[in-house]
Amino acid sequence: MMRPTARAFVWIGGAVFVAALALMVWRYSADFGRGGGAPSAPAALVDTLWLTLFACHHSLFARPRAKDLVARLVPADLVRSTYVWIASLLLIAVCVWWQPIGGTVYRLDGAARVLLVALQVAGLWLVVRAVRAIRALELAGIESPRPHRDDLQVRGPYALVRHPLYLGWILAVGGASHMTGDRLLFAGVTTLYIAVAIPWEERGLIAEFGEAYERYRRQVRWRVVPFVY
């Protein structure tokens, strides 16, 4: 039975997680879409460093050695929540201290705009479906990860690509019909991170699921983008 203080820690952490996501959506939709002026290289450098810090935590903290280290410092049922707390605070920092880059890469109207909006909606749908499959409360750190040996997801969007959550993210952030310098950097750096991180993540999945994941990789060939990667 989780102690009241621990329960408060995980639920407040879940609330911070939701707040961080909401802040990111608002900044991407509103502030990042302003464009205007000449692009600022110094601002792009600062923003890239913030995104890199967030990405490094996201990957390195998820490694078994890092988890073991954290497990020595906090109770076992708070390891996931601690990860979510740090990730959420870093994402908030990215949003709060983001330096406007400016500039407009392109602005599409008519049928092209409708097509890109449809791609973004499809991306959001994929994100929702993928999150539902892996348990939203666990993703938010409210529930501790359960043993996944018999919980490998292979249906729904996971029958299309092995990482549908990442595909949904790429479509949602990269499908803007008004592509500004801010949106392009945000989409580009996070997409590059996804490409670099997936091989690491899949090594962990092979270690966890063994032959079951190897079979899944043979059945679903594409990691993120069908017929591409």
Side-chain angles (χ1 to χ4, degrees), residues 15-98:
V16 173
F17 172 77
V18 173
L21 291 178
L23 178 60
M24 182 204 68
V25 170
W26 175 73
R27 292 229 61 183
Y28 178 88
S29 302
D31 294 344
F32 290 5
R34 291 176 180 174
S40 169
L45 176 60
V46 171
D47 298 337
T48 299
L49 291 175
W50 272 114
L51 285 171
T52 301
L53 179 61
F54 171 76
C56 286
H57 163 265
H58 189 79
S59 285
L60 297 178
F61 198 105
R63 304 279 69 80
R65 289 184 180 180
K67 289 181 178 178
D68 291 342
L69 176 62
V70 175
R72 299 174 188 172
L73 303 175
V74 302
D77 56 355
L78 296 183
V79 171
R80 174 63 188 175
S81 183
T82 301
Y83 169 86
V84 171
W85 263 102
I86 298 172
S88 300
L89 293 175
L90 283 174
L91 183 56
I92 290 172
V94 169
C95 294
V96 170
W97 285 296
W98 183 275

Side-chain angles (χ1 to χ4, degrees), residues 51 55 166-175 179 183-199 224-225 229:
L51 285 171
Y166 292 154
L167 174 58
W169 172 271
I170 293 170
L171 292 175
V173 301
M179 183 60 74
R183 286 176 172 171
L184 180 63
L185 181 75
F186 187 79
V189 172
T190 55
T191 299
L192 178 61
Y193 158 71
I194 286 171
V196 171
I198 281 179
V224 181
V225 183
Y229 176 71

